[in-house]
């Protein structure tokens, strides 16, 4: 049971670090999928 709780904690830590780390590095979905050129035709 102790190892299961440790695994859940590790998953949560990895998820939080990835969320903030990728956002800081510029890999958020808004920055990846948007571009400066927009067509309005």
């Amino acid at each position: 049971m102790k190892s299961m709780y440790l695994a859940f904690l590790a998953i949560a830590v990895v998820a939080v670090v990835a969320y903030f780390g990728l956002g800081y590095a510029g890999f958020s979905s808004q920055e990846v999928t948007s571009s400066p050129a927009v067509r309005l035709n």
Side-chain angles (χ1 to χ4, degrees), residues 18-35:
Y19 175 77
F20 288 112
L22 290 173
Y24 179 75
F27 288 107
S28 67
S29 62
Q30 181 181 6
E31 293 174 358
V32 170
T33 59
S34 65
S35 68

Side-chain angles (χ1 to χ4, degrees), residues 2 4-6 13 18 21 23 25 27-28 30-31 37 39 41:
K2 183 178 172 182
M4 186 174 69
Y5 290 140
L6 185 60
V13 168
F27 288 107
S28 67
Q30 181 181 6
E31 293 174 358
R39 291 186 186 181
N41 295 350

